[in-house]
Amino acid sequence: MFTCGCCGRTSTTKGYLVVDHIIPRKIDKRKQLDKGNLWVICKRCHWYKGLLEDDVYTDGLSIENIDARQTSNC
């Protein structure tokens, strides 16, 4: 429906929305083809999600420590 699964913005502009792996491929390659591990988000949210993932995974934390309700940028 051309809607970001994170912030709810809508757009029909080509390239504004991207398909993203919820659990990154670098964390669990077994989930890279799992349709349940994919969502559509806008490029802005994708950028913020990347920053969050860098913080979480470089500190040695696991995916269980992410609480999407507490992200203020997305």
Side-chain angles (χ1 to χ4, degrees), residues 1 11 14 18 21 25 35-36 43 45 52 63-64 66:
M1 303 308 266
S11 178
K14 185 176 181 179
V18 295
H21 291 88
R25 292 178 295 178
K35 289 181 183 179
K43 285 191 174 186
C45 289
L52 176 64
I63 194 75
E64 291 82 21
I66 296 178

Side-chain angles (χ1 to χ4, degrees), residues 5-6 39 52 63-74:
C6 188
W39 66 337
L52 176 64
I63 194 75
E64 291 82 21
N65 294 325
I66 296 178
D67 185 351
R69 295 171 296 173
Q70 295 180 3
T71 57
S72 61
N73 296 322
C74 194

